[in-house]
Amino acid sequence: MTAVFNTSSLNSMAGTTRQTGKKGYRSCELNNYKVEVVDFDGATEEFNVEASSHSEAAEKAEALAYGMQVSYMNIYKDNF
C-alpha cells in the first residue's frame, strides 16, 4: 500500500554554515529521517530510518509500521 506523505527538513543554524554545497541528485549517501506514521484513528508511531530519499524513507517506515492502516506520514529529513 502506498500512503500519502508530507516532507520537511530540520536544520540547525550551525549546520547551515557548515554546508558547502548540495549533494547531487544521484547521490547514494544515506540520510537520517524521522517519520511520523498516522493511522485512520489518529494514532501516531514514530520511526527513525536511514534512506537516500523521502520516498525510500516512506517505504521503510511503512514496512516498520506493519499492521497499521496508514493514513499519511510526516517525514522530516535531519540535516544536523
Side-chain angles (χ1 to χ4, degrees):
M1 180 176 146
T2 303
V4 175
F5 60 88
N6 305 308
T7 63
S8 183
S9 294
L10 303 173
N11 295 308
S12 70
M13 294 304 287
T16 56
T17 59
R18 286 191 305 238
Q19 291 179 332
T20 58
K22 292 190 174 207
K23 293 187 302 181
Y25 71 94
R26 293 183 181 222
S27 175
C28 295
E29 183 177 333
L30 295 178
N31 296 299
N32 295 315
Y33 292 88
K34 175 184 166 188
V35 183
E36 295 175 343
V37 179
V38 183
D39 71 6
F40 289 99
D41 294 328
T44 303
E45 290 283 337
E46 287 187 12
F47 301 99
N48 293 310
V49 297
E50 287 187 337
S52 58
S53 67
H54 284 93
S55 298
E56 185 180 349
E59 289 175 16
K60 287 184 175 185
E62 194 169 16
L64 291 171
Y66 181 78
M68 282 182 78
Q69 290 287 93
V70 179
S71 174
Y72 66 93
M73 292 182 253
N74 294 315
I75 303 175
Y76 305 96
K77 182 178 177 186
D78 187 357
N79 290 327
F80 292 108

